[in-house]
Amino acid sequence: MLSIIIPYYKTLEHTKELLKVLEPQLDEDVELIIVDDGCNEKELDKYNAKVIHLPNNSGNASKPRNIGLDNATGKYIAFIDSDDMVSSTYIKTIKHYIEKDTDIIYLSWKCSKMNVYITDRPPKWNCSVWCRVYKREIIGNVRFDTNLKIAEDWKFNQGIQPKTSVAIKEFLYTYNIGRQGSLTNGG
């Protein structure tokens, strides 16, 4: 089973577009968890997802991701940022690679405004969790540092020690770079 965790904060239009692509891909082996970080966005409740509404905004993606991890039941964990996009074969492709029973699966991706495709393994400068699928077993008790506003992915990945990995060369993820109000843009 695959658990997909989406930390949400004030990105409703982007998230609705993402869910339009993601929701038709869901089946009984996939759990979608949306963690609403203090927005109380009730429109999320109409989707086929476990929606967790946090009472207060944490100011970063760490707390929602940790809450998602604590509530996930899947053997594998994927993260999607609420303002990004996935392909129409995202889940099907990942599930095919899950069958290989590897510790970590690297995803191919592109940036929305640069049209740059990255394949094989992420470059060293990209420690983002959205371009990886983790076997839950290797995550163990590792969690995101809630004191960090940026680079929390890097620190999280430092605690993960995969022994086996595989890369999906088929493009699956679009990183929405430069969105006004995003954490990486100072918002």
Side-chain angles (χ1 to χ4, degrees), residues 47-105:
Y47 291 98
N48 185 18
K50 180 191 298 183
V51 180
I52 301 167
H53 296 281
L54 301 181
N56 302 307
N57 173 251
S58 64
N60 62 33
S62 295
K63 183 176 180 181
R65 286 177 177 160
N66 288 340
I67 298 287
L69 279 171
D70 292 342
N71 284 274
T73 60
K75 180 179 177 183
Y76 280 84
I77 307 288
F79 297 93
I80 300 175
D81 286 353
S82 65
D83 61 345
D84 290 346
M85 183 54 69
V86 297
S87 76
S88 61
T89 60
Y90 178 83
I91 290 174
K92 177 182 169 188
T93 306
I94 289 172
K95 284 176 70 175
H96 171 75
Y97 282 83
I98 283 174
E99 292 172 6
K100 299 179 187 303
D101 198 39
T102 188
D103 288 345
I104 197 162
I105 302 167

Side-chain angles (χ1 to χ4, degrees), residues 103 136 139:
D103 288 345
R136 179 181 195 82
I139 293 175

Side-chain angles (χ1 to χ4, degrees), residues 2 4-6 14-26 32 78-94 107-110 130-133 170-176:
L2 172 66
I4 300 171
I5 299 169
I6 301 175
H14 290 284
T15 305
K16 284 165 52 175
E17 290 301 310
L18 169 64
L19 293 173
K20 228 187 269 184
V21 174
L22 198 55
E23 203 170 32
Q25 300 180 52
L26 298 175
L32 180 59
F79 297 93
I80 300 175
D81 286 353
S82 65
D83 61 345
D84 290 346
M85 183 54 69
V86 297
S87 76
S88 61
T89 60
Y90 178 83
I91 290 174
K92 177 182 169 188
T93 306
I94 289 172
L107 306 181
S108 293
W109 55 279
K110 71 175 182 170
W130 48 255
C131 61
R132 295 161 169 79
V133 178
E170 176 186 334
F171 156 71
L172 295 178
Y173 197 98
T174 302
Y175 173 63
N176 188 5

Side-chain angles (χ1 to χ4, degrees), residues 4 11 15 23 40 53-54 56 69 72 75 88 97 110 115-116 118 121-122 134 139 141 146 151-152 155 166 168 183:
I4 300 171
T11 56
T15 305
E23 203 170 32
N40 199 28
H53 296 281
L54 301 181
N56 302 307
L69 279 171
K75 180 179 177 183
S88 61
Y97 282 83
K110 71 175 182 170
N115 205 27
V116 176
I118 307 294
R121 284 185 167 70
Y134 303 86
I139 293 175
N141 292 323
T146 57
E152 73 280 1
K155 190 165 183 186
V166 65
I168 300 175
L183 285 173

